[in-house]
């Protein structure tokens, strides 16, 4: 079974930093796009950042210049470095990865369980 395990969430003051990690494991040949989503109370889940297997990145406008997504393909891990955090960044952050399943050769989207990020003012 494929699993994405997230870590690094927590409580931080405005202007502070956090680094989220998401490690994938299981019956996957390789991961394609990996990314981070977030969902604040009463709002839709939105894409924060994504990164392709070759390192091409994409960011939601409000986090550009503050967040950096990266990945380590050898470790099947994606990171989100969050700097200059704002109270508006408070949300549950979810890792997502598109993986090629080993047995079926089928692409499937996998999700982490979510990790809470709270930014106080």
């Amino acid at each position: 079974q494929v699993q994405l395990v997230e870590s690094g969430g927590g409580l931080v003051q405005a202007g502070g930093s956090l680094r989220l990690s998401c490690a994938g494991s299981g019956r996957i040949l390789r991961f394609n796009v990996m990314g981070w989503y977030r969902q604040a109370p009463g709002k839709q889940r939105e894409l924060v950042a994504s990164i392709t297997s070759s390192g091409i990145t994409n960011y939601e406008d409000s986090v550009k210049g503050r967040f950096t997504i990266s990945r380590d393909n050898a470790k099947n891990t994606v990171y989100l470095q969050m700097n200059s955090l704002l109270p508006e960044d408070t949300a549950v952050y979810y890792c997502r990865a598109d993986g090629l399943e080993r047995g079926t050769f089928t692409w499937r989207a996998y999700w982490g369980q979510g990790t809470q990020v709270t930014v106080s003012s």
Side-chain angles (χ1 to χ4, degrees), residues 22-107:
C22 173
S25 63
R27 295 174 53 81
I28 293 293
L29 292 174
R30 71 180 185 94
F31 287 109
N32 193 3
V33 177
M34 305 182 79
W36 292 92
Y37 290 71
R38 67 185 180 188
Q39 187 166 24
K43 295 184 178 181
Q44 296 283 93
R45 186 174 299 187
E46 65 175 357
L47 176 67
V48 178
S50 64
I51 183 168
T52 70
S53 59
S54 61
I56 300 172
T57 59
N58 181 60
Y59 296 94
E60 194 272 330
D61 287 343
S62 69
V63 309
K64 288 180 179 177
R66 300 189 297 119
F67 291 9
T68 302
I69 190 170
S70 61
R71 65 190 288 168
D72 185 334
N73 290 334
K75 297 180 179 179
N76 290 323
T77 300
V78 63
Y79 307 93
L80 186 67
Q81 178 67 46
M82 304 185 293
N83 298 325
S84 302
L85 282 162
L86 302 169
E88 301 90 277
D89 296 317
T90 296
V92 177
Y93 283 70
Y94 297 90
C95 176
R96 172 188 160 129
D98 295 332
L100 183 62
E101 197 171 83
R102 187 179 300 275
T104 64
F105 297 96
T106 301
W107 287 100

Side-chain angles (χ1 to χ4, degrees), residues 3-4 7 19 26 28 52 54 56 74 88 111-114 120-121:
Q3 186 177 28
L4 299 178
S7 62
R19 183 175 174 85
I28 293 293
T52 70
S54 61
I56 300 172
E88 301 90 277
W111 292 88
Q113 79 288 347
S120 65
S121 59

